[in-house]
Structure formats: structure tokens, C-alpha cells
Amino acid sequence: MNGLLRSIQRFFFGINLQNKFICLFLPLVIIPLSLLGTFSYYKSSEVVLNQVCQTILENLSQVNYSLNYFVKDIEQLTMYIYSNREIQEVLSKDKNRSLAEKHQDRKKMQDILDSLLGFKNWDISIYLMGENGDRYFTSDLLPSQYDEFNVNWGLFRRMRLGGGNVVWDTHYNMKKMDDFGIVLSSGRLLKKIDTNQPIGYAAIDIMESALADKYNKAHLENGGQVLLLDRNGYVISSTPYKHQIGTKLDAPYLEQILKGIKGYFKLTLDDGSDGMVVYDTSELTGFKLISIVPVTSLSKASLSIRNLTLFGISLGFIISCWLAYILASNITRPLRKLRWLMFEVESGNLNVAFSSKYRDEVGQLGLSFNAMVQQIKQLIDEVYKKQLMVQEAEIKAIQAQFNPHFLYNALDSINWMARIHKLDNISKTAISLGELLRFSIRKGNPFIPIREDIQQIRNFLFILKMRYGDKFDAEIEMEEGIEQLYTLKLLFQPIVENAVTHGLEMKLGKGLLQIKGTRANSRIRFEIRDNGVGMVPDVVKHIKNGHFLTSSSEKTGIGLENLRKRLELYFGHDFCFDIESVYGEGTTVIVEIPIVTQAGGERLV
């Protein structure tokens, strides 16, 4: 077995790249296509089955609606009998009246009953039983239970307890031999309208055919069965099988139906096949109308979906084979060209480009190759330009370092002269200016600890305080733990200078300068805030867009511009430089730089 697997592996890896693509492409297409087709078929069959069941449920609701009307008509019929004056008069007469008068009364009552059935095509029988012994009916014979009735049993007991309201009663049989009999009865105790004294009973027997006619018009699938149950689960009517009428439904799903209102669910029929049970409950009577349909009868529409799915899978297989060959041959051809171009780039020739008329994966790979070559060229140019900028900055720094010893000696002489004359402010100013000068021209790494840069800001602020006096106050607040981290040398000096000269100097009254440093995730955030005169929105917009010229032609934003260039030079795009200003309220400059842990510029990861 292992030997066979090794042979297959050697054969597969030994064939050319085009055949490898074909062998890999076909399973990747055929397997998902087959799975998708199978899933689509079963999903669509489920959707079709649910839609059909929903349609049957709507039909059952319509049938129940029709049955409700039928029940209301029967109740209105009993109410008409109850309120009819002639019926009231006949049933109130003495039972010992003459035969001639009884004959006239029978004829009158028969005309009334015939008129009640004349305008309705109902399969029902009406019975009137008076307390005076009169019996009137529409059927051919008077059943014994209506001739000699017991007021404490069955329908009569319900009528008596109803006190004149309509009542219903179903007919239950332990063993039904004749399925076309009475399945439902309605009755009402008749009372004398004037005295409210009972004068008799009105009963209406409803034949099974009268109910079956209501739901025979519903949409029934072949092999289906419809059952009408009362509240207790007894079968009132059914089609096409009648043998269950009058008995309690013997089915495992009966309890679920009695508890529910409407819906449908799947079960296993007696023959072992799957079936759907759809049921709906009448809000008026509480009767349950059930339709039991085999799933095979409901899923006929799914057969066309199955055939279409098989056809689609077969067609997809043929197309996949053709596409696999076309794609494999087209992919391997430009791959060889791309490989040759890579050899050219390895040898140092960057003036190459991959061209493809297709935009498939290989075409996209070629575009990525071209972008990579262009980016390499661009990076080489950027490195070259940055080297020139560094050299230019070093030259400017060297030019600026003219005879620093002369400046130190001059400042030291000023310091000692101020001490001799006891001018402490001039002495401290000279010392601060000397430290600033020594710090600014000091060679070495451009990154220094934050505490050193803050110390130079304090020296610079002291000199400004000597110049402006009590014009402003300065507050410096650094979060604990960040002063030992590193920042660019003289990061704050141009911002502080602009805040004082352009913001606080022109402010009426005393101003406030705040310098705050905090740690925000992987960055250090510095905020230099003043409550000076601020800037108009157009000036802020120009500065954010890179135009650092101020409103005065003699003053420019060279300091801010150089600061931004230094940030771009050392941090690329990984920094934030933002200005927020409200005219008349002040300006806030926000600088965020990555956390640097060493003088060499190594960042905290």
C-alpha cells in the first residue's frame, strides 16, 4: 500500500505543470459544484415543502372560516325559531286541544320549517319538541331520542343548562358501522318571551355530508386525508375515509394538535413513508381541521429542481474540464516569462516590466512584480535623497558652529561682569543662553533623553521670561516614567517660541503656556497649549496643508517647517503633527512620536 502511494506521488510530481493544474483544478471545481448542487436541491425542496404546507394551512383557515359562517347560520336559525311568534303560540297551547286545531298547528309549523330549509342547501334536520307533547320535524321519521327524551341526558341537559343560549353536542360511537349519519347537533331551550317559562326544545342535527362539503372544496393532494376534530379529539367528519367518524382519533400526534393552534410538522405514516400534518383551529368552535398529506405528493415540484441540478452538475463538469485545460495552458506560458524577468532583476537590471493581456492570477502577479520593481527603484531614490538631506543638514550645522569658543568666552565674561555688579538676572540669562548654545551645536546622536530636552526648554523659557517679564506663566507636566525615554533634540523649542512670540506676546493681559507629556499606547504625546490670540481658521488650514508662512511677510514658519521635515526624516509616516486653534482663545500643538528606548533610535515593540 505504501509503495502504491509513493508511486502515485512520484507520478504526480513528475508530470508537467500544466497537467498538475488540471489535476488540481478539476477536484476543486467538481467537489464544491456537487456539494452546492446537492445542498441547493435539498434546501429548495425544503422551501417548496414549507410553501406547499403554508398554502394548505391557508386553505384550512379558509375552510374554518367557512365552517364558522355555517355555525353562525345554524345559531341564527335556532335564534329565529326561538323568537318566532307563531312557534311560540303553538308550543304554548294546551296539549288537550282538539285534533282539528292540532292538525292546523301541524300544517302551520310544517310550512315554517319548510321555509327555513327552502333558501339554504343544507343537509340538516330540524326538530321542535314542546312541553305540551307537540313534535314537529323536517326529516322523514322522528328519532326515538327526540320523541321520548330525557331532560337530564345529552343534548337536552346541555340545552336546559344553557338557559336559552345555543349549545352544541357531538355524537360519539364506540363502533361505527354507518359512516353517513348525524355527527353534530345544535339546540336551544325555547322559552315563552312574555313569561320566560320553558315551552319546549329546538334541535338541529347536522349530517356529516354538510360538513364534508365545506372542506371538499379545499386543495387536497393525492393520497391526502382531511379530519375535523372537536375540542376533545373526536372525529366529527373526515374524507376520504369515514370509518373514524364518531371515535376519538387514535394517533400519536393528537396531543400535539390539541395543544396547538395552527401549524404543520413532519411524521412517519403507517406505511413507513414521511408525511406532513397541517392543522388549524377555529376560533369560534375550537374545532380542529387537519390535513395529512404524504411528502411524496407535496414534493412533485422538487423533481424538476433535482433534474435541473443534475443537468447543471453535468454541464459544469464538461465546462470545468475545458476551462482547466485553457487556464493551465495560459498560466504556465506567462510564468516562464515572469521567471526570466526575475533573473534579470537579480542581476541588477531594474528596467524591466511584465506585460499581460489577461487579468487572471498570473496577470495580477505580473502587476505586483511591476509594482515591486517600481517600489524598489523608488526606495533607492528616497534613500539617496535622505542621504543628501542629512549631508545638507550636517553642512548647515557646521556652518552654524562658527567659533563657539568665542561665544562661550563672551557669555562667560557677561556672566562674571553681572556677578561683580550683582545683576543676578543677567547672570542667569547668560548661563541659560550658554547652555542653550552648547546644547544646540553639540554633535552626536539626534536622539536625546526627554528630560534633557525639557531642561533646555526651561532655560529657553527663563530667557523669554527675562524678555517679557510677567507677561506669561509656564507650566511643564511630564507623566511619570517618560522622561528617561528618548526624543529628537530641540523638538519643543520652535513650538514654544511660536507660542510666545505669535500667541502670548500679542495677548492683552497675562497669558499661560502649558507643556504636557503623556504616554498613549505605543506613542508619546506632547501638547503645547497657550491661551494667546489664536489663529483664524484659514491660517490653521494653510499650516495643516504644509504652508507654514505666517500672516506677516517678515515672519515665516521656518521652525515648524524644519520640525516637520525632521519628523518625516526620522519617523517616516509614523508620527502625528497637528494644530488646533480658536481665534481669540489660544492654540494647541500636538506632536506624537513612537516610543524610543535608546539613543540609537530603537523603538519599543
Side-chain angles (χ1 to χ4, degrees):
M1 187 64 180
N2 293 333
L4 178 61
L5 293 177
R6 284 194 296 269
S7 299
I8 295 175
Q9 185 177 4
R10 285 196 300 270
F11 171 77
F12 178 77
F13 288 105
I15 61 178
N16 57 51
L17 187 59
Q18 177 176 331
N19 292 334
K20 286 181 182 178
F21 276 122
I22 294 176
C23 294
L24 290 175
F25 180 79
L26 286 179
L28 293 178
V29 174
I30 298 302
I31 294 176
L33 185 63
S34 301
L35 294 177
L36 179 60
T38 304
F39 174 78
S40 300
Y41 166 69
Y42 283 107
K43 193 64 178 179
S44 59
S45 299
E46 182 180 352
V47 172
V48 169
L49 182 62
N50 289 333
Q51 289 179 346
V52 173
C53 290
Q54 192 65 37
T55 301
I56 296 176
L57 181 59
E58 292 176 0
N59 290 335
L60 294 182
S61 298
Q62 291 297 325
V63 174
N64 258 336
Y65 190 70
S66 177
L67 289 174
N68 289 341
Y69 263 104
F70 177 74
V71 170
K72 289 181 180 179
D73 286 343
I74 296 297
E75 291 180 353
Q76 290 178 357
L77 180 59
T78 59
M79 187 61 192
Y80 175 79
I81 294 174
Y82 182 92
S83 60
N84 187 275
R85 291 289 182 178
E86 295 181 335
I87 295 178
Q88 288 267 326
E89 293 177 358
V90 172
L91 296 182
S92 300
K93 291 183 178 181
D94 186 9
K95 64 178 179 178
N96 296 321
R97 64 188 184 277
S98 64
L99 294 177
E101 187 177 359
K102 288 184 178 181
H103 178 73
Q104 292 296 327
D105 292 337
R106 182 175 299 279
K107 184 177 180 182
K108 181 191 300 184
M109 295 294 286
Q110 195 64 44
D111 292 339
I112 294 175
L113 294 179
D114 290 341
S115 65
L116 293 178
L117 297 180
F119 63 92
K120 290 287 187 177
N121 187 20
W122 291 341
D123 193 2
I124 63 175
S125 297
I126 303 176
Y127 302 93
L128 298 179
M129 293 136 299
E131 294 285 352
N132 57 5
D134 290 357
R135 302 289 186 266
Y136 307 102
F137 49 90
T138 59
S139 62
D140 296 334
L141 297 174
L142 178 63
S144 59
Q145 66 269 21
Y146 292 145
D147 186 15
E148 297 294 336
F149 56 85
N150 189 335
V151 296
N152 295 318
W153 289 93
L155 180 63
F156 292 94
R157 180 175 180 273
R158 290 175 180 268
M159 288 189 287
R160 185 170 55 83
L161 294 176
N165 295 319
V166 65
V167 296
W168 292 88
D169 189 26
T170 53
H171 290 246
Y172 310 130
N173 294 314
M174 296 302 294
K175 185 175 182 182
K176 193 76 172 178
M177 300 301 295
D178 184 5
D179 298 325
F180 299 94
I182 302 169
V183 294
L184 193 62
S185 295
S186 177
R188 188 188 293 266
L189 176 65
L190 302 179
K191 294 182 179 181
K192 186 68 173 176
I193 296 177
D194 299 333
T195 62
N196 203 31
Q197 293 296 322
I199 58 176
Y201 300 89
I204 299 178
D205 284 345
I206 302 172
M207 308 301 290
E208 194 273 340
S209 58
L211 298 177
D213 181 66
K214 301 297 179 182
Y215 56 75
N216 280 336
K217 299 176 182 178
H219 178 69
L220 301 176
E221 299 291 340
N222 294 331
Q225 182 180 7
V226 177
L227 300 170
L228 180 63
L229 307 183
D230 65 2
R231 298 175 182 269
N232 299 316
Y234 284 85
V235 180
I236 300 174
S237 177
S238 66
T239 187
Y241 310 111
K242 307 292 184 178
H243 62 279
Q244 291 180 302
I245 295 176
T247 62
K248 191 168 185 177
L249 180 63
D250 185 15
Y253 54 83
L254 176 61
E255 184 177 356
Q256 180 177 352
I257 290 178
L258 293 179
K259 291 181 179 179
I261 302 299
K262 61 188 302 184
Y264 53 87
F265 54 88
K266 183 182 289 188
L267 53 73
T268 302
L269 300 178
D270 294 337
D271 57 359
S273 61
D274 292 333
M276 296 299 298
V277 176
V278 187
Y279 67 96
D280 184 69
T281 305
S282 171
E283 297 180 358
L284 180 64
T285 63
F287 293 167
K288 307 280 185 177
L289 192 58
I290 307 171
S291 178
I292 306 172
V293 189
V295 173
T296 54
S297 300
L298 300 178
S299 58
K300 291 180 179 178
S302 302
L303 297 179
S304 59
I305 299 177
R306 182 196 62 185
N307 297 334
L308 183 62
T309 302
L310 292 176
F311 174 77
I313 294 176
S314 301
L315 182 62
F317 177 78
I318 297 174
I319 295 176
S320 299
C321 293
W322 177 74
L323 287 177
Y325 175 78
I326 298 297
L327 291 176
S329 60
N330 281 277
I331 289 174
T332 55
R333 190 183 306 112
L335 280 175
R336 289 191 294 268
K337 179 181 178 181
L338 187 60
R339 181 184 179 186
W340 177 80
L341 293 176
M342 288 183 177
F343 285 147
E344 289 292 314
V345 173
E346 289 179 358
S347 63
N349 181 16
L350 297 178
N351 296 319
V352 296
F354 179 83
S355 59
S356 177
K357 59 182 179 180
Y358 300 111
R359 289 295 179 267
D360 55 3
E361 287 79 359
V362 179
Q364 295 295 328
L365 182 61
L367 294 177
S368 300
F369 171 78
N370 294 337
M372 180 188 68
V373 173
Q374 292 297 324
Q375 189 174 8
I376 291 174
K377 294 171 65 177
Q378 182 180 355
L379 291 175
I380 292 175
D381 293 339
E382 289 181 358
V383 172
Y384 179 71
K385 290 179 181 178
K386 286 185 177 180
Q387 289 177 349
L388 292 180
M389 292 174 63
V390 172
Q391 291 176 1
E392 183 180 356
E394 290 178 352
I395 292 173
K396 289 182 179 180
I398 292 173
Q399 291 175 351
Q401 297 175 15
F402 62 94
N403 200 5
H405 294 287
F406 169 76
L407 296 177
Y408 292 152
N409 293 333
L411 290 174
D412 189 58
S413 298
I414 294 173
N415 174 36
W416 283 107
M417 291 174 63
R419 286 189 175 186
I420 292 173
H421 294 281
K422 297 182 178 181
L423 300 174
D424 294 337
N425 289 339
I426 296 177
S427 174
K428 292 180 181 179
T429 302
I431 293 174
S432 298
L433 183 59
E435 290 183 1
L436 272 176
L437 181 62
R438 185 180 297 106
F439 179 78
S440 62
I441 65 176
R442 185 178 67 184
K443 293 184 179 180
N445 197 288
F447 289 92
I448 62 171
I450 294 177
R451 64 174 176 273
E452 293 186 12
D453 206 29
I454 293 298
Q455 180 59 41
Q456 302 311 314
I457 292 299
R458 290 190 173 96
N459 293 332
F460 183 63
L461 287 173
F462 182 82
I463 297 173
L464 292 176
K465 291 282 287 185
M466 291 299 100
R467 175 184 175 184
Y468 294 103
D470 294 333
K471 182 66 178 177
F472 69 92
D473 289 332
E475 297 179 358
I476 300 178
E477 180 184 353
M478 292 290 118
E479 183 180 313
E480 183 180 357
I482 69 171
E483 291 191 353
Q484 68 268 22
L485 300 177
Y486 286 77
T487 182
L488 285 176
K489 183 170 64 176
L490 294 178
L491 177 66
F492 309 104
Q493 188 273 334
I495 305 176
V496 172
E497 182 179 1
N498 281 345
V500 175
T501 58
H502 299 305
L504 298 175
E505 181 180 358
M506 295 180 286
K507 176 181 175 63
L508 296 178
K510 191 172 184 179
L512 176 64
L513 175 68
Q514 295 176 312
I515 302 174
K516 184 178 181 181
T518 58
R519 184 167 180 169
N521 296 329
S522 60
R523 287 186 176 187
I524 301 178
R525 178 184 176 94
F526 299 103
E527 295 184 10
I528 297 89
R529 186 189 309 272
D530 68 80
N531 61 348
V533 296
M535 295 181 287
V536 296
D538 290 341
V539 175
V540 177
K541 182 178 180 181
H542 278 75
I543 294 177
K544 287 185 176 182
N545 292 334
H547 305 292
F548 292 92
L549 292 177
T550 63
S551 58
S552 175
S553 60
E554 290 82 9
K555 299 178 181 179
T556 63
I558 295 176
L560 293 180
E561 184 178 8
N562 289 337
L563 173 61
R564 182 155 192 158
K565 287 183 178 179
R566 290 176 64 205
L567 291 173
E568 291 179 352
L569 179 63
Y570 288 100
F571 299 115
H573 297 288
D574 191 14
F575 73 94
C576 174
F577 182 82
D578 192 17
I579 297 179
E580 300 175 356
S581 182
V582 179
Y583 184 71
E585 297 183 9
T587 303
T588 301
V589 178
I590 300 172
V591 178
E592 292 185 5
I593 62 173
I595 294 179
V596 180
T597 58
Q598 297 184 12
E602 295 185 5
R603 302 180 185 181
L604 177 62
V605 178

